[in-house]
Each structure stands twice: as C-alpha cells, then as structure tokens.
Amino acid sequence: MKQTIFPPKGHDGTTSGRLRRIGAVLLLTLPLLAHPLGWFRLGYKLIPFWGDASAAGTAAVGLAASALVCCFPERLLAAFRRDRNIRVLLGTAAVTFGMAVLRQLLFGGPAGWISETLFFLMVPLAGITLAPELKWCLKWYLPALCILLIGYAVGTPDFSGLPGNWNWNWALVAATVPSIFLCFRCPGKWRVIGSCILLGGLLTAFAVLYPDRFPRGVLAGCFGALILLGLLKLTPEDQRLFGAVLIFGLGAGGFLSALYSPAGNLDSRVELWRGAMGLGAHYPLFGVGANGFGFAIPPYLPDGYFFSKFAATWHPHPHNEFFNAFVRFGAAGLFYLILLFWNVARQAISAGQREFYLGWAALLLLIHGCFDVTLTTPLAGTLFGVLAGVSACGVDDAPCPSPVIPGMEKYRRLLPLVWRLAGVLLLMTAAGRMLRDFYAGSDYRQAKVAIVSGENDLARELLARSIRRNPAAESLDTAVQLEMLGFLSPEKALLLLDRMRDLGYENYLHAQFWRGRALVRLGRFQEALTALDQEQRNFPFSARCAALRLAVLEHLQGPRSVRRRAAEHYRLCMKLRGLPPDRYAQLTDEQEDAPLSADAFYHDPLLRGRDR
C-alpha cells in the first residue's frame, strides 16, 4: 500500500499555512505571465511579435519554485525521512543539479542555463512541498484554465493560444477538460465518458475548421492517457463500456489524422530523434546544458533530416521530452524524468475516481511530450511539475512533525531562518529576472517592428539596449543581420559574432555563415573559409553557404580538385531546390531552409552510400 504523508486540507489555519497557500497560488499563476502581451490579443487584436516580450519564463519560474522550497522546507524533509520513493527522487535531483553545475564550471555556457535547470528539477519538489495547498487550488485552477484557453484560442486571430503556439494550447485544453466535470456530482465513469465526448467534439471541430493544424500529438496523448488510466481504474463492467468508447475514438482519430495530417512531419521527427540519440551518446554524463541542444545538434543530424518537408534552420529541442532530458542533463536527468512518470502513473492508478483529472492531465502532457517539448514551456511544464510533485507524496495521511536533522539539534531555531532568508533572496532574484527579461524582450520586439518599418537606426538603438539588459542569442543574431544589411558595418557584425561565440552561441542559426560573409567583405578570405566550413558541417546542403564557399575557393585559387568538388556540391544544393545553378538570385528563405525537390537526394549518384 502506498505510504502517504500530508493532510487533505488546503492549509492548517496558521500563518504559515496561509503563506503556503499564497505560495501555491503564486506558483500556478506565475506561468500565465509568460507572454504578458498575449492577453491584449483577445478579440482578434493584432500585436506583432507579441511572443518576444516574455516576463515569467522557465528560468523565473524555476527560481520562484526554488524559493518556495527554501521558504517551507519542513514537509520536504519530512517526506525525505518517511518515504523511500521521495528519497530516491531527491537524490536524483541533487545528482542532476550537481552535474549541471560541474558541467557549467568545466565547459562554460550562459549562466542562465542554471536557472533553466532549476525549472526542470525544482517545480516537482515545490509540488511536494505545497502538496495540500496545490491540490486545493487545482480543483478551481484546472477548470478555469480550460475555459480560459478555449475562449482565448477562439478569440485570437491565429489560434495560437496563450501558451505561445496552437499545439501547446490544445495539449493544455485536452489535459484540463476532465476537471470541468468536477462541478457535477455524478459517478466516476460518467465523468470519463463525458470528458471523452466533450474532448472528442472539440478536437473534431478543430480538425474541421483548421485542417492544416490538426493536433496529432494531442490525439496520441489522449489515447495514451486513456489506455493507462481507464483500463486499470475502472471496474470490469465499466471496462467494456470504456473499450467501446476507446475503439470508436481510435477509429475516428485515425480517420481524422489520415485525412488532415500533413505528410512528412513524422519523417522529420524520426530523423531528429536519430540525431538526438547520437548527441546524447556523446555526452551521457553531463549532457550539453539546459539550452545547449540547438547549438550542439547540427553535426549529429542525419542527411535525411535536411530533406524532410519540415526541416528547419534552428533545432532548439528534439521534439521528445525523454530525449530532451537525456541530451540536456545526461543520464541522471533522464532517470529523474522517468521517476516523475512513475510517480504520476502510480498515484493515478491508486487514487480514487474523484482524482481522475490529476492523473489524466499529467499523463497526457507527458505522452504529448513524446512528440513535442510541451513540458519545457512555462505553463505546461509548471502544471506537469506540480502534478508530479503532488503525485509523488499523496495527500491523505495525517500531518508529520518537522524532523530534526541528526547532529543539528542545537541549530533547530537558526536553520529555518537561514532557509527562509535563502528563499526570500531567491524570490527577489526571480522578480529581478522577470523584470529584466520583460524589458529586454520588449526592446527586442520594438526593434523588430522598427526593422519592418524601415527605421534601422531606431532598431539598432533598441537592440543595443536589449543586449545590454540580456545578451540573448536572438537579439545578437538580429543585430548581426542588421549590421550586415547592405554590408553597412561588417566590423560591428564581427564584434557581435565574437560576443556570441564567447557566450556559447557560435552555432546559433546561420551565425557561421554571417561570420564568413563579414570576413569576405573585410578581405580575410582564409578565416572566412574556416567559418564557411563550419557552416557546411552544421547545414551540409545550404545553397547559400555552398555558393559563398565556392567563390572564396576560386578567389584563393585553391586546389583544382577541391574547387571541382565545391562546384559539384553547389550544383547539387541548387538542384535540390529545383533551381539551375545560375538562378541563385531566385533562392528564397523557404527554399534555403527546406528543400522543395527532396527526391533528388535519394536518386543522385553523388549521395549514394554517403556517410557523414
């Protein structure tokens, strides 16, 4: 029988209990501020680049969760003392964080990656710390969130949803639909059936109205959560009814998926997963850092990825949460995520039908994360972490007294003050991070609007101010392209590129290509060739890189065999885009990033048996 720890009440009536409830409300509300300008888009109001101004991103939420754990450590210590499962969870979290810090010291990287690591590790621990209060809040929070997300998506012009993208929005809608039936007093099986009918109707309406945006990952998450929960929780009589609903749902979902799903999307996912496995195998101990995937993955991507319909120039994540945890944090991070999954599944199976909505939401988000990185977004990631923490400890037993650490009895009164002081400092750090990110993001957004309007001088000023506040890769890359516009200032572009390299962003997007262009403009051809070689390793079939590299080789009068291979490679890159070599000026951004004539890749003799 599962051992449980905490009382079912929202709080114990004391001042500390009220503060814990405030902390729970703060933790659940903070991610709603991830995109503050998004709230002003209700009623089909267009706000350009609204997603660039972020206030409560994952780093700020991670710091806030850490602050709550430090402010109220008693329950976590009690859980550590009484529950072996939580001891393993806390030990794995400590190992993962220690490896992340050690990796930062040994290999460098942006300091903000540690805050991103805290988001992955500390939100579930905050869920354990505030389990009774969070469970009380979730009864009201989840139905309100579901209604809010549906209304928000319908009331915005691009159906993107408050989380920042239509796919993430529908994942959260599907996860929170069963919570609406908490408002009705009915048997548990009718909650399940009612949830299936409501969710099926919503997905069907969405597929009919928006066929190009049918959420296949959400559909897979729904069926996966139903299979894991329904067949294990319902009585034998109910299982027959559930099986009929499931078979009907699978048939309808398969038909809609085949009818409306774009071809080639899964191919790009599989190729990206192959690259992620190769990258993770090279960094199994430390990983590549919380946000290091996009900078490290290009050399590991199979050739087939660049010829899939949905290939992209930037790969910030592997579209799979388990691969993502392994690559970012190493084997310890992967084990931590598996432990969270185990705790969620265990609690969902043993809990009563009244708590069906908790297990449903967590499992659906995690299964959807096998096709997208839902859990690395502020809103969905926080919700999953909270649910995983609540599931890890249970909330049915009597409260436990705060344990006294052996050998620390004489510091019994001092230690809580130290912990709470650390929590206050972390909370202040989180508030400062939110303000910094919002103001830097607002300047970056206004700079992009100024570029579109042709006000480049104003854009330079805004970008410089944004970089001073937060030297993010996006703002630095935009500043580089602005300085290279008309080759106005390649010297300044090189300085910005050097700063990107020092921060660990040297392989962000096409940074190496821009470095090569700037060096060519300054007459430093040998250095330019080195940068273009790196760009070709990152994007082996980039036509723009191939053209510039061929021009540099011809200028340097390199070996004839090397120039011949470069010319053949350039012709191949143009052929893959359906253009003759002399039509380079007609090459568009879409053609450069996702080839149109991918069949040529599989039939061209130059590529048969090619092993990168």
Side-chain angles (χ1 to χ4, degrees), residues 190-210:
W190 294 112
R191 287 198 195 97
V192 175
I193 295 171
S195 301
C196 292
I197 294 173
L198 177 58
L199 184 56
L202 288 172
L203 290 175
T204 302
F206 182 73
V208 172
L209 295 174
Y210 303 93

Side-chain angles (χ1 to χ4, degrees), residues 337-476:
L337 184 60
I338 292 173
L339 283 176
L340 294 180
F341 171 73
W342 163 247
N343 284 309
V344 167
R346 184 181 65 164
Q347 174 66 13
I349 293 171
S350 62
Q353 290 181 345
R354 185 74 180 173
E355 298 173 356
F356 171 82
Y357 69 100
L358 293 177
W360 165 270
L363 289 173
L364 189 145
L365 291 175
L366 185 57
I367 294 171
H368 180 263
C370 293
F371 305 94
D372 202 352
V373 284
T374 313
L375 306 187
T376 55
T377 59
L379 187 53
T382 301
L383 181 58
F384 173 79
V386 164
L387 293 171
V390 171
S391 300
C393 62
V395 288
D396 299 324
D397 205 3
C400 296
S402 300
V404 179
I405 302 175
M408 305 293 287
E409 291 83 356
K410 62 180 179 180
Y411 301 108
R412 186 170 186 169
R413 295 185 178 181
L414 179 62
L415 284 177
L417 294 177
V418 174
W419 279 104
R420 283 168 174 76
L421 178 61
V424 171
L425 291 177
L426 283 171
L427 201 58
M428 294 173 62
T429 304
R433 179 65 183 259
M434 290 176 61
L435 291 174
R436 189 200 72 172
D437 290 349
F438 178 71
Y439 282 115
S442 297
D443 288 336
Y444 178 56
R445 188 192 75 83
Q446 295 175 34
K448 291 171 72 173
V449 173
I451 292 173
V452 173
S453 304
E455 303 176 65
N456 292 339
D457 291 336
L458 175 61
R460 287 187 181 87
E461 180 182 345
L462 291 168
L463 283 171
R465 191 164 65 189
S466 176
I467 292 170
R468 282 197 302 271
R469 287 172 170 164
N470 181 25
E474 298 87 349
S475 53
L476 286 165

Side-chain angles (χ1 to χ4, degrees), residues 94-301:
V95 171
T96 304
F97 185 73
M99 298 301 288
V101 172
L102 186 59
R103 187 210 169 277
Q104 191 84 357
L105 295 175
L106 294 176
F107 307 108
W113 288 6
I114 295 297
S115 301
E116 302 285 348
T117 306
L118 290 176
F119 175 78
F120 175 71
L121 298 174
M122 300 303 292
V123 173
L125 301 187
I128 298 174
T129 301
L130 303 173
E133 292 80 16
L134 286 168
K135 189 176 180 183
W136 179 86
C137 292
L138 287 170
K139 291 189 297 184
W140 315 100
Y141 179 80
L142 291 180
L145 181 63
C146 181
I147 296 171
L148 171 67
L149 291 174
I150 294 174
Y152 186 90
V154 173
T156 50
D158 54 0
F159 214 86
S160 61
L162 186 63
N165 140 329
W166 61 269
N167 199 11
W168 300 337
N169 187 76
W170 272 104
L172 283 166
V173 168
T176 53
V177 157
S179 64
I180 294 178
F181 289 87
L182 290 175
C183 304
F184 303 98
R185 293 188 176 275
C186 57
K189 65 178 181 180
W190 294 112
R191 287 198 195 97
V192 175
I193 295 171
S195 301
C196 292
I197 294 173
L198 177 58
L199 184 56
L202 288 172
L203 290 175
T204 302
F206 182 73
V208 172
L209 295 174
Y210 303 93
D212 58 332
R213 294 185 175 184
F214 183 71
R216 290 189 301 169
V218 175
L219 191 67
C222 291
F223 291 134
L226 279 173
I227 291 170
L228 287 175
L229 286 174
L231 293 178
L232 292 172
K233 292 175 65 66
L234 299 180
T235 63
E237 293 77 12
D238 295 333
Q239 287 179 8
R240 288 194 290 269
L241 179 60
F242 172 80
V245 173
L246 182 62
I247 292 172
F248 173 78
L250 284 171
F255 173 76
L256 290 173
S257 180
L259 185 63
Y260 293 113
S261 296
N265 196 4
L266 185 59
D267 294 338
S268 65
R269 290 285 197 272
V270 172
E271 297 293 343
L272 191 57
W273 294 340
R274 287 177 56 197
M277 284 191 289
L279 177 59
H282 279 79
Y283 300 94
L285 192 60
F286 295 103
V288 296
N291 285 336
F293 180 83
F295 307 106
I297 189 60
Y300 297 89
L301 289 172

Side-chain angles (χ1 to χ4, degrees), residues 315-352:
H315 325 90
H317 51 72
H319 286 283
N320 183 286
E321 288 294 349
F322 291 97
F323 284 137
N324 200 33
F326 181 44
V327 172
R328 295 166 77 201
F329 306 113
L334 176 61
F335 185 60
Y336 184 74
L337 184 60
I338 292 173
L339 283 176
L340 294 180
F341 171 73
W342 163 247
N343 284 309
V344 167
R346 184 181 65 164
Q347 174 66 13
I349 293 171
S350 62

Side-chain angles (χ1 to χ4, degrees), residues 483-497:
E483 296 299 340
M484 290 296 294
L485 186 64
F487 300 102
L488 181 66
S489 181
E491 297 89 351
K492 291 183 180 179
L494 275 180
L495 291 176
L496 291 167
L497 288 165

